[in-house]
Amino acid sequence: MRTTVRLLTGSALAVAAAGLVCAPAHAGDAEGLDVVPSSVVPGGQVTVNTAACGDDGAGTGDASAVGAGAFTLAPSMHGGDTTGRFRVPPSAQPGTYEIVATCAQSGRQVTGDLVVTLTSQRQPVHPRGSVKTGVGGALGPDPVQTAAGVAALAVAAAGGTWLLHRRARGDRI
């Protein structure tokens, strides 16, 4: 019993120590480049935000990877953030593109990813047609098969009812 308790305690302490070591590495990502929306269709407008430029809040952005070119970063109304906007060209191809922002005063660069898709997240695509499962459907496109299935079920129900009725009367089947 004591061996099991020691093993579980040791494992729990190892997991807790690993969590403490990994936590500071994740906290450094807070000053990256926030791309909103992160997924856009060609021709859509994108806003980028970062807290990396500090109180100065000025800088330049580079969206030439997606074909939008350079854009300006200015102080935001949200206190300490730097904001910029650009429009994705209608000719942009689907894919993931890196957007770079450079702070004017410190020269610090931060990056964020932008995904260009052909369908918008805001306009969901609704499926059409029947599901191709290989088993068939209850109401398939063929009315003759549907009628045959309904007739088979009706015959089975009538036969079952007749057998149960004979059994209830005691006609020894």
Side-chain angles (χ1 to χ4, degrees):
M1 180 70 176
R2 286 186 181 202
T3 305
T4 305
V5 171
R6 285 183 184 170
L7 180 64
L8 291 175
T9 304
S11 298
L13 288 174
V15 169
L20 290 174
V21 170
C22 294
H26 182 64
D29 294 341
E31 291 188 354
L33 189 66
D34 186 26
V35 180
V36 180
S38 61
S39 179
V40 68
V41 294
Q45 185 167 340
V46 177
T47 302
V48 295
N49 299 308
T50 184
C53 294
D55 294 332
D56 178 30
T60 57
D62 182 17
S64 59
V66 74
F71 59 94
T72 305
L73 295 170
S76 172
M77 302 283 190
H78 296 59
D81 283 354
T82 304
T83 302
R85 287 194 174 108
F86 65 92
R87 185 168 298 280
V88 176
S91 61
Q93 297 298 313
T96 302
Y97 299 93
E98 183 178 65
I99 309 301
V100 180
T102 306
C103 300
Q105 195 172 44
S106 65
R108 181 174 179 191
Q109 285 190 342
V110 290
T111 61
D113 288 337
L114 173 68
V115 179
V116 176
T117 62
L118 294 179
T119 58
S120 174
Q121 297 281 339
R122 295 179 186 171
Q123 300 172 354
V125 177
H126 298 290
R128 285 184 253 162
S130 60
V131 177
K132 308 294 187 219
T133 61
V135 180
L139 298 174
D142 189 5
V144 175
Q145 288 180 351
T146 302
V150 169
L153 287 173
V155 169
T161 304
W162 178 73
L163 286 175
L164 288 174
H165 180 67
R166 283 192 58 180
R167 187 177 205 189
R169 282 190 333 194
D171 288 345
R172 300 198 196 271
I173 301 175

